Amino acid sequence: MRRRLLEEGILDRRHRPRPEGESILLPVTDEIPGAVRCRLEALPERAELPRHELVGGIAIMQDDDPEAARVLLSSRPSLHTVLLPASPVEGEYRTRRFDVLAGTPTTRTRVIEYGLRFDVDLAHAYFSARLATERQRVLEGMSDGERVLDMFTGVGAFAITLAERAGIVFAADLNPAAVHLLIHNITLNRRENVVPMLADAAHLARLGFAPFDRVIMNLPMAAPQFLAAAAGLCREGGMIHLYALQGGEGEYFPLIRAVTSGEVAERMVRTYSPGKWHAVYDIIVER
Ligand code: SAM
């Protein structure tokens, strides 16, 4: 669990974990479902480190403080670069610009996630380490041999993870830099059942695919507008995982009900901004 939280960048390393009965309470920096509030002892030697998110060997800070960045860089041998976002996540490709605060001037790094290796370039293709647990949750719900479609694959983190159980995974993205890294990551992880596609998700329905057992839709700002296309690509009884940014519980139920009468489960994935959060809807397709 500690490793999972570290990989997602939400383990609070400034506080000491606390045993309680047969459990251990681990401190986190972000709200997560099921967490409890309690007092934990601070670790003074780490209290000086600035707040940051870890992606492989890169730390992303929120404050423009090169001195603090140098302290951060020397605090962990695995770090090679400290970055500061110079733009929000933006555009169709969902990328952002960065300034280098300390270390090697690069936005490229290698992320290890549940034994898989993903080479990412934060300035050129979207990647979020915070979805690591979510990818495992979807994997655990799969049956062997499934036909999977990942409509907005980025560098392939979902596709390559799910390929462990899938018969075949088609992985599409319209960002050429993302598909370049996807192809590299397929080879890096020796996956022989992932088909990379440089494609607009809006065109997939016209390509004559046999129906899919499972469709991943991870484009939280806009995926709902592709939902009808995804439902058309999914077999009767198949599953769609729709990731959506929302400001109210069940916000996308009316849209979902327009394409399926099947069972739908909604969960919070993570907070986004005050009053907004990323939700996932697990949708069974029944027409
Ligand atoms: N699923 C990946 C992950 O978890 O790391 C990436 C998700 S990222 C939020 C969304 C991705 O969708 C981006 O890589 C972007 O380039 C891609 N994208 C945006 N619009 C698209 C479209 N119409 N068709 C295919 N891909 C698209």
Side-chain angles (χ1 to χ4, degrees):
M1 181 54 73
R2 185 176 178 281
R3 193 171 59 227
R4 265 197 197 183
L5 294 171
L6 260 179
E7 282 172 353
E8 289 179 44
I10 57 171
L11 184 74
D12 185 348
R13 299 168 65 109
R14 297 164 306 173
H15 290 89
R16 204 185 292 283
R18 192 178 86 192
E20 191 165 282
E22 295 200 327
S23 308
I24 294 181
L25 299 175
L26 293 170
V28 289
T29 55
D30 216 346
E31 200 176 311
I32 58 171
V36 293
R37 262 180 207 286
C38 65
R39 236 170 237 294
L40 293 168
E41 192 189 329
L43 287 165
E45 70 273 17
R46 292 193 196 265
E48 310 269 298
L49 289 184
R51 196 173 167 157
H52 62 278
E53 182 183 343
L54 280 181
V55 182
I58 292 179
I60 304 169
M61 275 176 50
Q62 293 310 319
D63 299 314
D64 186 3
D65 185 344
E67 186 49 47
R70 277 191 287 276
V71 172
L72 179 56
L73 188 67
S74 57
S75 71
R76 226 167 277 152
S78 60
L79 281 183
H80 55 75
T81 303
V82 182
L83 298 176
L84 176 72
S87 77
V89 176
E90 60 192 4
E92 222 172 16
Y93 297 167
R94 308 309 299 147
T95 49
R96 71 197 313 189
R97 284 172 284 115
F98 291 94
D99 291 331
V100 178
L101 285 178
T104 313
T106 182
T107 48
R108 190 167 168 133
T109 191
R110 178 165 293 182
V111 177
I112 311 283
E113 191 180 288
Y114 290 90
L116 295 173
R117 291 168 295 168
F118 300 119
D119 281 352
V120 305
D121 190 327
L122 300 175
H124 293 109
Y126 177 95
F127 178 82
S128 171
R130 291 182 174 204
L131 291 176
T133 319
E134 186 53 26
R135 293 189 257 275
Q136 292 300 310
R137 183 189 73 87
V138 173
L139 176 67
E140 280 158 23
M142 280 178 65
S143 307
D144 287 341
E146 286 189 5
R147 282 176 56 79
V148 177
L149 171 64
D150 185 2
M151 287 176 101
F152 312 101
T153 196
V155 304
F158 263 104
I160 290 167
T161 300
L162 304 188
E164 184 181 327
R165 287 211 178 146
I168 191 157
V169 183
F170 287 87
D173 203 290
L174 51 59
N175 175 1
V179 176
H180 187 80
L181 283 160
L182 163 69
I183 293 167
H184 171 83
N185 287 329
I186 291 171
T187 311
L188 191 62
N189 292 284
R190 298 193 178 87
R191 292 294 198 222
E192 291 179 351
N193 57 346
V194 180
V195 182
M197 300 174 68
L198 179 62
D200 186 330
H203 300 158
L204 297 175
R206 288 187 229 145
L207 298 182
F209 285 113
F212 289 96
D213 299 302
R214 194 174 295 270
V215 178
I216 309 295
M217 303 184 72
N218 181 24
L219 178 64
M221 296 284 192
Q225 73 199 49
F226 296 89
L227 184 60
L233 284 156
C234 204
R235 73 164 165 82
E236 188 73 12
M239 171 82 87
I240 298 175
H241 302 280
L242 169 71
Y243 294 85
L245 182 64
Q246 64 183 20
E249 234 171 86
E251 195 171 308
Y252 289 98
F253 267 106
L255 196 78
I256 293 166
R257 280 291 161 245
V259 300
T260 176
S261 56
E263 215 173 286
V264 180
E266 177 195 1
R267 312 173 52 242
M268 180 176 127
V269 177
R270 64 183 176 104
T271 48
Y272 178 76
S273 60
K276 289 213 161 213
W277 64 94
H278 281 161
V280 57
Y281 292 85
D282 296 335
I283 304 166
I284 306 273
V285 174
E286 274 168 28
R287 287 173 264 263

